[in-house]
Amino acid sequence: NVMIDSGTTCFHVAKRLGDKVAQIITNSLPVANLFSASNRHEVHLSGGVIYPRLGVLVGPHAVETFSRMHADVAILSGSGISEDGIYNSHALLVDIQRAMIAGAAKVIFCLDHTKFGRRSTFFLSDFSAVDVIVTDAGAPETLIAALRAKNLEVVVAASPLPTTTASEGL
């Protein structure tokens, strides 16, 4: 089973999962919609309040949902990554993402090259609970090398990851 974060990048990752997973746990309405007609997937959608600009469920119910669940893998994104950790610009998402990280056996962050070297408003996580960073070829080699020196697996995708604007922060 897999937890999938909200945001454009995670949505595109979810589209590529196909039949590789049976259970999806998410707070993303677009991700839930993607799998809603499938007979092969069981979708667990967190409770919460809809944050319409992002199409995501937020609030204490969403945090509680993820704090009570376990997944083999969590796929997340953020608005920035530097040598000290990962950032997000949305306060309403940080606690949810931290609960996802705590509930997953393996944590994968998908961050396009525009997020590298950026710090956003809210510090999300250091790298102690992160297993893999996935990015694209535009990411700076110096930061990739620094992350690998921290024993992080950094995967550089062959095709570009979808980019988002700074205001989206995902």
Side-chain angles (χ1 to χ4, degrees):
N1 62 356
V2 62
M3 289 181 187
I4 303 176
D5 194 10
S6 59
T8 307
T9 304
C10 289
F11 176 76
H12 286 284
V13 171
K15 288 195 317 188
R16 295 178 185 258
L17 287 178
D19 293 332
K20 293 177 180 78
V21 296
Q23 288 184 323
I24 289 107
I25 307 161
T26 190
N27 63 330
S28 166
L29 297 176
V31 170
N33 247 358
L34 180 66
F35 295 103
S36 65
S38 171
N39 291 332
R40 295 178 179 228
H41 299 92
E42 181 179 304
V43 178
H44 296 264
L45 189 59
S46 74
V49 177
I50 296 174
Y51 187 40
R53 189 169 69 86
L54 300 175
V56 63
L57 294 164
V58 297
H61 295 298
V63 174
E64 182 183 345
T65 296
F66 287 107
S67 66
R68 290 184 290 123
M69 301 194 97
H70 170 77
D72 299 319
V73 178
I75 299 170
L76 301 105
S77 192
S79 58
I81 181 170
S82 67
E83 285 192 48
D84 62 331
I86 299 171
Y87 292 79
N88 199 321
S89 58
H90 291 286
L92 296 173
L93 298 179
V94 171
D95 287 339
I96 295 166
Q97 290 177 304
R98 288 181 180 151
M100 289 174 139
I101 291 167
K106 184 173 188 174
V107 176
I108 300 170
F109 270 88
C110 300
L111 301 153
D112 71 75
H113 69 276
T114 66
K115 310 297 178 12
F116 274 65
R118 282 185 47 198
R119 288 184 174 99
S120 291
T121 313
F122 302 99
F123 184 78
L124 172 59
S125 176
D126 63 21
F127 298 113
S128 62
V130 178
D131 298 294
V132 181
I133 303 289
V134 178
T135 190
D136 53 43
E141 283 297 325
T142 53
L143 187 48
I144 289 174
L147 295 172
R148 286 180 173 152
K150 295 176 184 288
N151 294 320
L152 282 166
E153 180 181 351
V154 180
V155 176
V156 179
S159 58
L161 294 177
T163 58
T164 56
T165 64
S167 65
E168 286 178 285
L170 300 173

